[in-house]
Every structure is written in C-alpha cells, then in structure tokens.
Amino acid sequence: GRVHGGFKPEMTPTEVVLHDLKYTLESLAYALFGKDVPLRWVDAYFPFTSPSLELEIYYQDMWLEVLGCGVIHPKVMEIGKREKEIGYAFGLGLERLAMVLFSIPDIRLFWTEDPRFSSQFQSGKTCKFVPYSKYPQCYKDITFWLSNIFHPNDMFEIIREVAGDLVENVELIDSFTHPKTGKSSHCYRILYRSMDRSLTNAEIDTLQFRIRDLLVDKLKVELR
C-alpha cells in the first residue's frame, strides 16, 4: 500500500502498518470534510483487530465517530493462511459521513419513511438538511460502579439490543473515583425519542429496567 514519510528505524512492522493506516484515513477525512476539520484518534476495541482505533471529527460542537479501524489480528491472518503478512482493516459509517455532509442531526432519520426527509435530497446534489418537528424526548439516567470487564462499546451494544432505534443518544454526564477504594463510577444519560410517535413513561421504564438488569448480568457493574 501507499506509505508516507515520518518513519523511525526502531518502528516495528505493526507500527509501520498502523502509521500508514492513520495517514490514509486522515487523508480521506480531509478530502471529505475539508483540510481544516479537527480530528482525533481514540483507542477502541474490536475483536478482529489489534491495536484498534476510532477516528472522530469535530461536528456541531461535539466529537463524532466516523469510522473504526485497526491492524488485523494475527489470529485472523493465521486463519487466512497469511500469517507472514500484516494488514489493516477499516469500516466507514456511511450514515455518519452523510450526517456531516448534509448537516443531518439524527442518524435514525435515514430509516424513516417520512417524505419530509426523503424529498429534500436529489442525486448528485449536496444540500443542507432542513429539520422538521419531532416528537418529545424522554431521558433516563443510570449510575453504576465499573467492573474490570466494563467497556462503553459493550454497554452501547446492550442498549441497542434492548431499545433499538428508540434511543437517540447516550452521554456520559458524570464520572467519579472513590478516594479510598479507588473504585470508579459512571453516570450515563440515555435519551429516548421515537421518530413517529410519542413515547410513554411506562414503556421507557420497561426498557430502562431491562438495560439495568443486562448491565449487571453481562458487564458485572454495581448499580448505585
């Protein structure tokens, strides 16, 4: 693949591949969003790459993940009978890229059948999305002590599994480390909103309690 400068003699083959991966994807981000777009790399976990990273760009006053990537895990290369080689893999979130290019505020709009959304776009043209009225939101907070197996990506997967497209956003609103025990606590705010109807407190409570139970069962957190 194409490799750019900046290498050091002491770099391992894996570090060289990771260096090339980051340069390639940064170049893609600058080509899509402009050379002045702020971006950053965040350590991540994916089962088939190691090390793993996510690329985020600064959009609408917040950091937005646009792709996940990493150096292909040696076990994967071994299964493919290419254990003497090193490669990288990445996956683009096409919906998130479109969100930035068209100023679309909510990823779930891509699955709506509302003509107020689809009628705004034409093939070959880039235009700014004009928002229309939404149904009211409902948010619930959840606070817990972290376990040694907790990872935010696993929590997000549980939330998606339980609530699907009814969840608009999940945000870490508070973190705390106990000065004596060293235990860490997180508080997350889950924002619920349907694209086509008003949600009731009763149905949201059912989802929230199910999420709480699964976090305890699967990620071994301790609710507060």
Side-chain angles (χ1 to χ4, degrees):
R2 180 173 58 92
V3 179
H4 74 119
F7 297 104
K8 299 178 181 178
E10 65 271 18
M11 291 176 72
T12 66
T14 296
E15 290 173 333
V16 171
V17 170
L18 185 64
H19 187 74
D20 186 39
L21 166 65
K22 293 170 76 171
Y23 172 73
T24 300
L25 295 180
E26 285 175 3
S27 299
L28 173 63
Y30 289 135
L32 286 172
F33 308 116
K35 60 182 180 63
D36 296 323
V37 64
L39 56 81
R40 69 180 183 184
W41 290 101
V42 179
D43 290 334
Y45 167 77
F46 303 114
F48 304 115
T49 56
S50 180
S52 302
L53 298 167
E54 292 175 341
L55 179 61
E56 298 182 346
I57 65 168
Y58 199 66
Y59 169 66
Q60 290 190 344
D61 298 323
M62 64 183 295
W63 288 100
L64 177 70
E65 175 201 342
V66 293
L67 61 88
C69 63
V71 178
I72 301 174
H73 198 286
K75 288 292 185 182
V76 176
M77 300 298 286
E78 182 180 332
I79 292 171
K81 302 187 184 304
R82 306 186 73 132
E83 58 271 18
K84 294 183 179 180
E85 301 178 31
I86 302 175
Y88 60 71
F90 63 92
L92 295 170
L94 296 180
E95 293 89 354
R96 293 188 181 277
L97 298 181
M99 287 175 68
V100 177
L101 292 174
F102 295 93
S103 300
I104 298 170
D106 190 334
I107 195 170
R108 297 173 303 166
L109 285 166
F110 291 103
W111 295 281
T112 183
E113 296 182 359
D114 194 322
R116 291 178 296 176
F117 177 76
S118 57
S119 64
Q120 295 192 34
F121 306 100
Q122 297 179 23
S123 176
K125 294 183 179 181
T126 302
C127 61
K128 186 174 181 179
F129 171 68
V130 179
Y132 51 84
S133 62
K134 291 183 178 181
Y135 289 88
Q137 66 182 24
C138 174
Y139 69 83
K140 300 286 183 180
D141 294 343
I142 182 170
T143 306
F144 48 81
W145 296 106
L146 306 185
S147 69
N148 58 2
I149 65 169
F150 174 82
H151 192 284
N153 284 350
D154 295 327
M155 179 191 68
F156 298 148
E157 185 64 30
I158 287 173
I159 293 172
R160 284 194 294 267
E161 175 187 325
V162 173
D165 290 343
L166 293 182
V167 172
E168 182 172 294
N169 189 48
V170 181
E171 179 184 5
L172 176 65
I173 60 172
D174 187 47
S175 61
F176 167 75
T177 300
H178 196 286
K180 293 184 178 179
T181 66
K183 293 175 64 177
S184 295
S185 169
H186 282 182
C187 179
Y188 289 91
R189 175 159 293 170
I190 304 175
L191 178 60
Y192 298 89
R193 178 163 24 204
S194 171
M195 299 301 296
D196 54 17
R197 62 187 176 88
S198 294
L199 300 173
T200 66
N201 253 323
E203 63 180 314
I204 294 303
D205 284 342
T206 299
L207 297 174
Q208 186 77 2
F209 281 115
R210 177 61 177 157
I211 290 170
R212 290 164 59 94
D213 290 343
L214 286 175
L215 289 177
V216 172
D217 181 54
K218 293 187 175 183
L219 302 185
K220 309 303 179 186
V221 303
E222 180 184 344
L223 299 175
R224 296 183 59 190

